[in-house]
Coordinates of all heavy atoms in Angstrom, one line a residue:
I7 N -20.5 -64.1 -64.1 CA -19.6 -64.8 -64.9 C -18.6 -65.4 -63.9 O -17.8 -64.7 -63.3 CB -18.9 -64.0 -65.9 CG1 -19.9 -63.3 -66.8 CG2 -17.9 -64.8 -66.7 CD1 -19.4 -62.3 -67.8
E12 N -7.9 -64.9 -65.1 CA -7.3 -63.7 -64.6 C -6.8 -62.7 -65.6 O -6.9 -61.5 -65.5 CB -6.2 -64.0 -63.6 CG -6.7 -64.6 -62.2 CD -7.6 -63.5 -61.5 OE1 -7.2 -62.3 -61.5 OE2 -8.6 -64.0 -60.9
V14 N -7.9 -62.4 -68.7 CA -9.1 -61.7 -69.3 C -9.6 -60.6 -68.4 O -9.9 -59.5 -68.9 CB -10.2 -62.8 -69.6 CG1 -11.5 -62.1 -70.1 CG2 -9.7 -63.8 -70.6
K17 N -7.3 -57.6 -68.6 CA -7.5 -56.9 -69.9 C -8.8 -56.1 -69.9 O -8.9 -55.0 -70.4 CB -7.5 -57.8 -71.1 CG -6.1 -58.3 -71.4 CD -6.1 -59.3 -72.5 CE -4.7 -59.8 -72.8 NZ -4.7 -60.8 -74.0
Q21 N -9.1 -52.1 -70.3 CA -9.9 -51.5 -71.4 C -11.0 -50.6 -70.8 O -11.3 -49.6 -71.4 CB -10.5 -52.7 -72.2 CG -11.3 -52.2 -73.4 CD -11.7 -53.3 -74.4 OE1 -10.9 -54.2 -74.6 NE2 -12.9 -53.3 -74.9
Q26 N -13.0 -45.1 -69.7 CA -13.5 -44.4 -68.5 C -14.8 -45.0 -68.1 O -15.8 -44.2 -67.8 CB -13.6 -42.9 -68.7 CG -12.2 -42.3 -69.0 CD -12.3 -40.8 -69.3 OE1 -13.4 -40.3 -69.6 NE2 -11.2 -40.1 -69.2
E30 N -18.0 -53.5 -65.3 CA -19.4 -54.0 -65.6 C -19.9 -53.3 -66.8 O -20.5 -53.9 -67.7 CB -20.3 -53.7 -64.4 CG -21.7 -54.2 -64.6 CD -22.6 -53.9 -63.4 OE1 -22.1 -53.6 -62.3 OE2 -23.8 -54.0 -63.6
E35 N -21.1 -53.3 -72.8 CA -20.8 -52.7 -74.1 C -20.2 -53.7 -75.0 O -20.6 -53.9 -76.2 CB -19.8 -51.5 -74.0 CG -19.5 -50.9 -75.3 CD -20.7 -50.3 -76.0 OE1 -21.6 -49.9 -75.4 OE2 -20.6 -50.2 -77.3
L37 N -20.6 -57.0 -74.9 CA -21.6 -58.0 -75.2 C -22.6 -57.4 -76.2 O -23.0 -58.1 -77.2 CB -22.4 -58.5 -74.0 CG -21.6 -59.4 -73.1 CD1 -22.3 -59.6 -71.7 CD2 -21.5 -60.8 -73.7
L41 N -23.1 -58.8 -80.1 CA -24.4 -59.4 -80.5 C -25.0 -58.6 -81.7 O -25.6 -59.2 -82.6 CB -25.4 -59.4 -79.4 CG -25.1 -60.4 -78.3 CD1 -26.0 -60.2 -77.1 CD2 -25.2 -61.8 -78.8
E43 N -23.1 -57.1 -84.0 CA -22.4 -57.5 -85.2 C -22.8 -58.9 -85.6 O -22.9 -59.2 -86.8 CB -20.9 -57.5 -84.8 CG -20.3 -56.1 -84.7 CD -18.9 -56.2 -84.1 OE1 -18.3 -57.3 -84.0 OE2 -18.4 -55.1 -83.8
A48 N -25.3 -63.0 -89.3 CA -26.0 -64.3 -89.2 C -27.4 -64.2 -89.8 O -28.3 -63.8 -89.1 CB -26.0 -64.8 -87.8
P50 N -30.6 -66.1 -91.1 CA -31.1 -67.5 -91.1 C -31.3 -68.0 -92.5 O -31.8 -67.3 -93.4 CB -32.5 -67.3 -90.4 CG -32.8 -65.9 -90.3 CD -31.5 -65.1 -90.6
E54 N -35.3 -74.0 -98.1 CA -34.9 -74.4 -99.4 C -33.4 -74.4 -99.5 O -32.7 -75.3 -100.1 CB -35.5 -73.5 -100.5 CG -35.3 -74.0 -101.9 CD -35.8 -75.4 -102.1 OE1 -36.8 -75.8 -101.6 OE2 -35.1 -76.2 -102.8
E55 N -32.7 -73.4 -98.9 CA -31.2 -73.3 -98.9 C -30.6 -74.5 -98.2 O -29.7 -75.1 -98.6 CB -30.8 -72.0 -98.3 CG -31.0 -70.8 -99.1 CD -30.7 -69.5 -98.4 OE1 -30.9 -69.5 -97.1 OE2 -30.2 -68.6 -99.0
A61 N -28.7 -81.8 -100.2 CA -28.7 -82.6 -101.4 C -27.3 -82.8 -102.0 O -27.0 -83.9 -102.5 CB -29.6 -81.9 -102.5
I63 N -24.6 -82.9 -100.3 CA -23.9 -83.9 -99.4 C -24.4 -85.3 -99.7 O -23.6 -86.2 -99.8 CB -24.0 -83.5 -97.9 CG1 -23.3 -82.2 -97.7 CG2 -23.5 -84.6 -97.0 CD1 -23.7 -81.6 -96.3
G65 N -25.5 -86.6 -102.3 CA -25.0 -87.1 -103.6 C -23.6 -87.7 -103.4 O -23.3 -88.7 -104.1
R66 N -22.8 -87.1 -102.6 CA -21.5 -87.6 -102.4 C -21.4 -88.9 -101.6 O -20.5 -89.7 -101.8 CB -20.6 -86.6 -101.7 CG -20.4 -85.3 -102.5 CD -19.6 -84.3 -101.7 NE -19.8 -83.0 -102.2 CZ -19.6 -81.9 -101.5 NH1 -19.3 -82.0 -100.3 NH2 -19.8 -80.7 -102.1
G71 N -21.0 -97.0 -99.0 CA -20.7 -97.7 -97.7 C -20.9 -96.9 -96.5 O -21.5 -95.8 -96.5
D74 N -17.3 -95.3 -91.8 CA -16.0 -95.9 -91.6 C -15.3 -96.3 -92.9 O -14.1 -96.1 -93.1 CB -16.1 -97.1 -90.6 CG -16.4 -96.8 -89.2 OD1 -16.1 -95.6 -88.8 OD2 -17.0 -97.6 -88.5
L76 N -15.8 -94.9 -95.8 CA -15.4 -93.7 -96.5 C -14.1 -93.1 -95.8 O -13.2 -92.7 -96.6 CB -16.5 -92.7 -96.4 CG -17.7 -93.0 -97.3 CD1 -18.9 -92.0 -96.9 CD2 -17.4 -92.8 -98.7
E83 N -6.6 -96.5 -97.1 CA -6.4 -97.8 -96.4 C -7.1 -98.9 -97.1 O -7.1 -100.1 -96.6 CB -6.9 -97.7 -94.9 CG -6.1 -96.7 -94.1 CD -6.7 -96.5 -92.7 OE1 -7.8 -97.1 -92.4 OE2 -6.2 -95.7 -92.0

Side-chain angles (χ1 to χ4, degrees):
I7 302 174
E12 284 299 319
V14 172
K17 289 178 180 179
Q21 186 170 320
Q26 299 179 342
E30 181 180 347
E35 178 62 27
L37 285 169
L41 291 172
E43 290 171 7
E54 191 55 40
E55 289 172 327
I63 294 170
R66 292 183 202 152
D74 290 337
L76 288 169
E83 297 173 0

